[in-house]
mmCIF file of all heavy atoms in Angstrom:
data_model
loop_
_atom_site.group_PDB
_atom_site.id
_atom_site.type_symbol
_atom_site.label_atom_id
_atom_site.label_comp_id
_atom_site.label_asym_id
_atom_site.label_seq_id
_atom_site.Cartn_x
_atom_site.Cartn_y
_atom_site.Cartn_z
ATOM 1 N N ARG W 67 32.437 -7.757 3.412
ATOM 2 C CA ARG W 67 33.137 -6.510 3.075
ATOM 3 C C ARG W 67 32.629 -5.317 3.902
ATOM 4 O O ARG W 67 32.971 -4.175 3.609
ATOM 5 C CB ARG W 67 32.978 -6.214 1.589
ATOM 6 C CG ARG W 67 33.697 -7.225 0.722
ATOM 7 C CD ARG W 67 33.456 -6.932 -0.746
ATOM 8 N NE ARG W 67 34.050 -7.949 -1.562
ATOM 9 C CZ ARG W 67 35.007 -7.712 -2.455
ATOM 10 N NH1 ARG W 67 35.471 -6.503 -2.627
ATOM 11 N NH2 ARG W 67 35.490 -8.703 -3.167
ATOM 12 N N ASN W 68 31.802 -5.621 4.901
ATOM 13 C CA ASN W 68 31.276 -4.597 5.810
ATOM 14 C C ASN W 68 30.449 -3.548 5.066
ATOM 15 O O ASN W 68 30.495 -2.372 5.378
ATOM 16 C CB ASN W 68 32.410 -3.937 6.598
ATOM 17 C CG ASN W 68 31.918 -3.379 7.907
ATOM 18 O OD1 ASN W 68 30.905 -3.813 8.435
ATOM 19 N ND2 ASN W 68 32.641 -2.413 8.438
ATOM 20 N N ARG W 69 29.680 -3.980 4.070
ATOM 21 C CA ARG W 69 28.856 -3.079 3.277
ATOM 22 C C ARG W 69 27.389 -3.086 3.695
ATOM 23 O O ARG W 69 26.600 -2.337 3.134
ATOM 24 C CB ARG W 69 28.932 -3.457 1.804
ATOM 25 C CG ARG W 69 30.272 -3.208 1.184
ATOM 26 C CD ARG W 69 30.216 -3.578 -0.280
ATOM 27 N NE ARG W 69 31.494 -3.396 -0.919
ATOM 28 C CZ ARG W 69 31.832 -3.981 -2.050
ATOM 29 N NH1 ARG W 69 30.972 -4.781 -2.665
ATOM 30 N NH2 ARG W 69 33.009 -3.780 -2.576
ATOM 31 N N LEU W 70 27.029 -3.932 4.619
ATOM 32 C CA LEU W 70 25.645 -3.986 5.093
ATOM 33 C C LEU W 70 25.552 -3.258 6.424
ATOM 34 O O LEU W 70 26.358 -3.488 7.315
ATOM 35 C CB LEU W 70 25.176 -5.437 5.259
ATOM 36 C CG LEU W 70 25.108 -6.273 3.997
ATOM 37 C CD1 LEU W 70 24.639 -7.680 4.330
ATOM 38 C CD2 LEU W 70 24.192 -5.649 2.976
ATOM 39 N N ARG W 71 24.581 -2.407 6.545
ATOM 40 C CA ARG W 71 24.387 -1.657 7.769
ATOM 41 C C ARG W 71 22.924 -1.794 8.208
ATOM 42 O O ARG W 71 22.066 -1.052 7.732
ATOM 43 C CB ARG W 71 24.692 -0.185 7.537
ATOM 44 C CG ARG W 71 26.074 0.092 7.009
ATOM 45 C CD ARG W 71 26.971 0.648 8.082
ATOM 46 N NE ARG W 71 28.226 1.137 7.565
ATOM 47 C CZ ARG W 71 29.263 0.363 7.263
ATOM 48 N NH1 ARG W 71 29.161 -0.926 7.373
ATOM 49 N NH2 ARG W 71 30.396 0.882 6.852
ATOM 50 N N PRO W 72 22.649 -2.739 9.092
ATOM 51 C CA PRO W 72 21.260 -2.882 9.547
ATOM 52 C C PRO W 72 20.830 -1.646 10.341
ATOM 53 O O PRO W 72 21.642 -1.022 11.020
ATOM 54 C CB PRO W 72 21.297 -4.120 10.435
ATOM 55 C CG PRO W 72 22.714 -4.243 10.862
ATOM 56 C CD PRO W 72 23.550 -3.658 9.758
ATOM 57 N N VAL W 73 19.576 -1.306 10.230
ATOM 58 C CA VAL W 73 19.029 -0.190 10.988
ATOM 59 C C VAL W 73 18.529 -0.751 12.315
ATOM 60 O O VAL W 73 17.596 -1.548 12.349
ATOM 61 C CB VAL W 73 17.873 0.491 10.223
ATOM 62 C CG1 VAL W 73 17.223 1.568 11.077
ATOM 63 C CG2 VAL W 73 18.381 1.057 8.908
ATOM 64 N N ILE W 74 19.189 -0.364 13.399
ATOM 65 C CA ILE W 74 18.778 -0.787 14.737
ATOM 66 C C ILE W 74 17.858 0.307 15.263
ATOM 67 O O ILE W 74 18.301 1.400 15.591
ATOM 68 C CB ILE W 74 19.982 -0.969 15.685
ATOM 69 C CG1 ILE W 74 21.052 -1.862 15.066
ATOM 70 C CG2 ILE W 74 19.506 -1.484 17.044
ATOM 71 C CD1 ILE W 74 20.624 -3.264 14.745
ATOM 72 N N GLY W 75 16.580 -0.005 15.292
ATOM 73 C CA GLY W 75 15.599 0.998 15.699
ATOM 74 C C GLY W 75 15.419 1.097 17.197
ATOM 75 O O GLY W 75 15.190 2.175 17.726
ATOM 76 N N GLN W 76 15.538 -0.031 17.881
ATOM 77 C CA GLN W 76 15.327 -0.043 19.324
ATOM 78 C C GLN W 76 15.988 -1.263 19.933
ATOM 79 O O GLN W 76 16.191 -2.261 19.272
ATOM 80 C CB GLN W 76 13.840 -0.008 19.680
ATOM 81 C CG GLN W 76 12.980 -1.029 18.962
ATOM 82 C CD GLN W 76 12.646 -0.616 17.542
ATOM 83 O OE1 GLN W 76 12.313 0.525 17.289
ATOM 84 N NE2 GLN W 76 12.774 -1.532 16.614
ATOM 85 N N GLU W 77 16.322 -1.131 21.198
ATOM 86 C CA GLU W 77 16.968 -2.220 21.929
ATOM 87 C C GLU W 77 16.258 -2.379 23.271
ATOM 88 O O GLU W 77 15.942 -1.391 23.930
ATOM 89 C CB GLU W 77 18.440 -1.882 22.148
ATOM 90 C CG GLU W 77 19.247 -3.007 22.726
ATOM 91 C CD GLU W 77 20.742 -2.702 22.729
ATOM 92 O OE1 GLU W 77 21.213 -1.987 21.836
ATOM 93 O OE2 GLU W 77 21.413 -3.196 23.657
ATOM 94 N N PHE W 78 15.990 -3.629 23.632
ATOM 95 C CA PHE W 78 15.303 -3.930 24.883
ATOM 96 C C PHE W 78 16.146 -4.898 25.694
ATOM 97 O O PHE W 78 16.781 -5.792 25.130
ATOM 98 C CB PHE W 78 13.943 -4.603 24.613
ATOM 99 C CG PHE W 78 12.927 -3.719 23.962
ATOM 100 C CD1 PHE W 78 12.892 -3.563 22.586
ATOM 101 C CD2 PHE W 78 11.985 -3.051 24.732
ATOM 102 C CE1 PHE W 78 11.947 -2.764 21.979
ATOM 103 C CE2 PHE W 78 11.032 -2.247 24.129
ATOM 104 C CZ PHE W 78 11.011 -2.092 22.751
#
Side-chain angles (χ1 to χ4, degrees):
R67 293 177 185 241
N68 206 23
R69 292 182 182 160
L70 296 180
R71 303 255 190 280
V73 175
I74 309 299
Q76 50 281 317
E77 188 171 329
F78 292 85

